[in-house]
Amino acid sequence: QKEVEQNSGPLSVPEGAIASLNCTYSDRGSQSFFWYRQYSGKSPELIMSIYSNGDKEDGRFTAQLNKASQYVSLLIRDSQPSDSATYLCAVGPPYNQGGKLIFGQGTELSVKP
Amino acid sequence: NAGVMQNPRHLVRRRGQEARLRCSPMKGHSHVYWYRQLPEEGLKFMVYLQKENIIDESGMPKERFSAEFPKEGPSILRIQQVVRGDSAAYFCASSPQGGYGNQPQHFGDGTRLSIL
């Protein structure tokens, strides 16, 4: 079992729709969870961080965390063509066990005009 | 520019040469991380450093790779005797705190290493 799993996609949604990206992780002790966006040939860009169960909203983005199910998701409302990118789920270590992030393989999102 | 600075952006080396990749963290950040992204693969952790200390090098290949973050100057990732399989994008990230705070890591633009 991979430590962090994402559907590779591509996920295709029409402009204006809600895009839903999912991620599961294996280490129950993980304390921090991040979503990064990576355009082709570019570096990862942090878009959301979440540490507690529930929802966290920032503009058109909502991150959801369920530690019991070991599940993290990212919702993108009113999707735009400029949202087309690969979205990386990253999971931090258990508390006080260093700082390395474990990344999923990424989900490629395509927003069609 | 207050972001994570990496140089060079592109680096071409012949097999057997040495590659040195540099990273200056964001202002106010004292924790540096190196990741590697091989073609068509995900980001993989290599090493985590604070000033003058290697905190976690569990992702570093056992041979040819080394990293440092001296008291003065940038963090350096050094690859000796490069081979074709070292061709990848190498990203540096920094955070204000490390494992205790699990603060978000911010990435530099990366160094694209090509081995001829």
Side-chain angles (χ1 to χ4, degrees):
Chain A
Q1 181 191 9
K2 290 182 182 176
E3 293 179 90
V4 178
E5 291 204 58
Q6 296 180 252
N7 292 329
S8 60
L11 173 66
S12 183
V13 301
E15 184 175 356
I18 295 175
S20 178
L21 305 160
N22 305 314
C23 171
T24 58
Y25 60 96
S26 61
D27 189 340
R28 283 196 170 274
S30 299
Q31 297 289 325
S32 53
F33 307 86
F34 308 94
W35 284 98
Y36 288 84
R37 177 175 62 196
Q38 187 174 28
Y39 293 109
S40 181
K42 301 296 185 182
S43 63
E45 173 192 7
L46 179 71
I47 54 174
M48 289 289 283
S49 60
I50 187 166
Y51 302 92
S52 304
N53 281 329
D55 295 359
K56 179 181 177 183
E57 187 175 318
D58 183 0
R60 296 187 295 113
F61 299 99
T62 299
Q64 300 173 316
L65 173 61
N66 184 327
K67 289 185 179 179
S69 300
Q70 296 171 248
Y71 176 86
V72 195
S73 67
L74 178 71
L75 300 177
I76 307 174
R77 290 181 299 281
D78 188 24
S79 296
Q80 301 297 310
S82 58
D83 295 326
S84 297
T86 296
Y87 288 79
L88 304 172
C89 173
V91 176
Y95 184 77
N96 206 22
Q97 291 189 27
K100 81 179 188 184
L101 296 179
I102 307 296
F103 283 84
Q105 288 289 98
T107 298
E108 183 183 348
L109 173 66
S110 177
V111 181
K112 303 296 187 185
Chain B
N1 188 339
V4 179
M5 301 300 293
Q6 288 189 251
N7 67 80
R9 293 289 303 277
H10 301 275
L11 182 61
V12 179
R13 285 286 178 267
R14 296 189 180 279
R15 282 178 294 170
Q17 291 184 320
E18 178 179 289
R20 284 190 179 226
L21 288 62
R22 295 174 182 77
C23 170
S24 295
M26 283 179 72
K27 188 175 181 180
H29 289 192
S30 58
H31 299 254
V32 165
Y33 315 81
W34 286 92
Y35 294 84
R36 178 165 66 174
Q37 190 169 39
L38 292 165
E40 306 305 321
E41 291 191 19
L43 274 164
K44 303 292 186 188
F45 168 81
M46 299 182 75
V47 62
Y48 161 33
L49 310 104
Q50 294 178 36
K51 287 283 187 182
E52 300 184 282
N53 282 304
I54 296 175
I55 307 302
D56 179 357
E57 56 182 346
S58 59
M60 288 282 269
K62 296 286 186 252
E63 298 177 348
R64 301 186 299 107
F65 285 72
S66 62
E68 62 175 1
F69 191 13
K71 186 176 180 181
E72 301 292 336
S75 175
I76 306 287
L77 179 68
R78 182 183 178 203
I79 311 172
Q80 295 178 290
Q81 299 176 326
V82 296
V83 301
R84 288 239 170 93
D86 297 331
S87 295
Y90 291 82
F91 291 100
C92 172
S94 71
S95 69
Q97 284 180 273
Y100 299 104
N102 288 323
Q103 295 292 308
Q105 297 176 19
H106 297 268
F107 283 77
D109 288 337
T111 293
R112 272 72 180 172
L113 175 64
S114 298
I115 309 302
L116 301 179

